[in-house]
Amino acid sequence: MIQAVIFDMDGLMFDTERVAYEMLHDICARHGLNYTMDMKRRMCGANFDACTRIFREELGIDDSVLTFGQCWTEVRERMETEFTTQGIPCKPGLKELLDFLQGQGIGVAVASGSSAAVVQRYLDTAGVSAYFSAIVGGSDIKNPKPAPDCFLMAAERVGAQPADCLVLEDSARGLQAALRAGMHAIWVPDLDVPDEQTTAKLDAVCETLHDVIGWLQTACKG
């Protein structure tokens, strides 16, 4: 029986990974650098330090040319402005799934590599913050995904045992973290693609968040 559902945020609830890629690609292009989709996929689910390392390695540059921190600061500022004026792009089925979980009395939490402050702003902007009883941000834990820390903390904060939690993720790192936490895990594809070994251990692959409702209806009956 699923007692709690733990959501990733970027690329899972909101279409922010794609927006961030396009903006970061533009910034790099201004400096004569080619930021590719393969690089973005390597960064999916990674924390800031890991992204910084990938950025340097893939582009073959040092901090005198351009830093990931500089780029990410500009991306965040542009995203904040865009989402404030135009709204945040929610993934299909998000609100329907949240309504279903609320109606079933299933706990809901967020475990994201983004800071808790950013998570809260995005939830508020999307008008869904009232659904969530717990938020775990990247700064709340010592070890980022694929370590299980964020999901274990989210389960504790929502008052559920790990084995009774379902994690919804779009990234390979996030799915690996969920499995290491001993939780159920569903992949909702966005930009990243987990390896076959990881995919074989998942409970399901759902094309949209709306499709998760059907899986939960079956699981709750069982």
Side-chain angles (χ1 to χ4, degrees):
M1 197 66 149
I2 302 299
Q3 296 181 355
V5 175
I6 305 174
F7 289 69
D8 175 48
M9 185 180 75
D10 293 298
L12 187 283
M13 287 195 286
F14 308 123
D15 196 18
T16 46
E17 294 284 22
R18 196 175 306 277
V19 173
Y21 165 72
E22 292 171 355
M23 291 181 177
L24 196 47
H25 183 274
D26 289 345
I27 294 168
C28 287
R30 294 204 310 259
H31 292 80
L33 302 170
N34 184 26
Y35 179 72
T36 67
M37 181 58 74
D38 284 343
M39 288 176 61
K40 175 57 183 173
R41 290 192 178 101
R42 284 193 64 194
M43 292 180 176
C44 285
N47 67 353
F48 183 85
D49 290 340
C51 288
T52 297
R53 184 178 63 255
I54 293 166
F55 190 79
R56 289 172 179 159
E57 291 174 353
E58 291 287 341
L59 293 177
I61 60 173
D62 59 35
D63 290 350
S64 66
V65 178
L66 182 68
T67 69
F68 178 74
Q70 290 172 312
C71 294
W72 195 241
T73 297
E74 182 175 342
V75 167
R76 277 295 186 197
E77 290 174 350
R78 289 173 60 180
M79 289 173 73
E80 293 277 352
T81 299
E82 182 173 317
F83 297 159
T84 299
T85 57
Q86 302 180 29
I88 191 166
C90 295
K91 285 287 193 168
L94 174 62
K95 293 185 179 179
E96 291 88 344
L97 176 55
L98 290 172
D99 283 335
F100 172 81
L101 295 173
Q102 186 179 67
Q104 295 294 312
I106 297 173
V108 184
V110 181
S112 172
S114 295
S115 70
V118 169
V119 173
Q120 187 64 64
R121 283 201 300 275
Y122 283 12
L123 296 180
D124 290 343
T125 300
V128 298
S129 57
Y131 290 96
F132 294 87
S133 59
I135 293 174
V136 176
S139 58
D140 295 329
I141 55 167
K142 180 179 180 180
N143 301 304
K145 303 171 186 177
D149 302 30
C150 64
F151 293 127
L152 293 173
M153 182 177 288
E156 181 180 355
R157 289 183 176 180
V158 83
Q161 293 299 312
D164 298 323
C165 293
L166 168 65
V167 171
L168 303 179
E169 264 283 359
D170 67 291
S171 75
R173 282 186 179 85
L175 292 167
Q176 291 162 6
L179 294 172
R180 291 174 183 176
M183 299 179 178
H184 298 277
I186 289 179
W187 175 34
V188 184
D190 184 45
L191 302 183
D192 199 14
V193 180
D195 59 50
E196 292 182 2
Q197 185 177 6
T198 299
T199 305
K201 297 176 182 178
L202 303 178
D203 289 85
V205 177
C206 292
E207 289 303 313
T208 70
L209 291 173
H210 189 273
D211 297 330
V212 176
I213 297 174
W215 186 91
L216 282 165
Q217 287 172 329
T218 301
C220 289
K221 288 178 182 178

